[in-house]
Amino acid sequence: MANSIRIRAKSSGGATTVKALITHPMETGMRKNKKTGDKIPAHYITEVKCEHGGKTVVNAQWGPAVSKNPYLSFAFTGAKAGDSVKLSWVDNTGKSDSAEAKVK
């Protein structure tokens, strides 16, 4: 799922706010295909991680209750303009993706 993350990071007043939109189906495994009646297999993000300067600033454990194409926003301290922030995810099928953004 290359290029599944759109990320921005902005520093203001000592805190850096990261906003990300992740394109992912986030299937629970409970829905059925309307035409065939078969269950749609579970396919959801299990872990989201954000790193700055080689350190993890956010590590979130997700499950099937998170909506399709999730939006994530959080803030942390210690970054300044020009620094790089990396966001990555892994799903229950073993697929993963990551993206980086420069702090503005």
Side-chain angles (χ1 to χ4, degrees), residues 1-103:
M1 298 192 90
N3 302 321
S4 68
I5 303 171
R6 292 177 51 198
I7 181 173
R8 292 183 181 176
K10 185 176 181 181
S11 186
S12 177
T16 300
T17 301
V18 176
K19 296 179 180 183
L21 182 62
I22 303 171
T23 303
H24 196 281
M26 300 299 285
E27 285 293 344
T28 64
M30 301 299 286
R31 283 189 333 122
K32 290 184 180 181
N33 182 315
K34 291 179 182 178
K35 291 182 181 177
T36 65
D38 295 335
K39 281 192 175 182
I40 298 170
H43 187 200
Y44 55 89
I45 295 172
T46 57
E47 181 180 25
V48 178
K49 187 188 312 187
C50 183
E51 299 175 54
H52 166 258
K55 295 183 180 180
T56 301
V57 294
V58 168
N59 190 8
Q61 305 299 314
W62 285 0
V66 177
S67 69
K68 177 180 179 179
N69 301 327
Y71 171 77
L72 175 67
S73 179
F74 60 90
F76 69 97
T77 58
K80 56 186 179 288
D83 288 357
S84 183
V85 175
K86 179 182 176 184
L87 187 78
S88 59
W89 60 258
V90 177
D91 70 19
N92 68 318
T93 65
K95 294 181 182 171
S96 62
D97 198 8
S98 64
E100 289 191 36
K102 295 283 183 189
V103 177

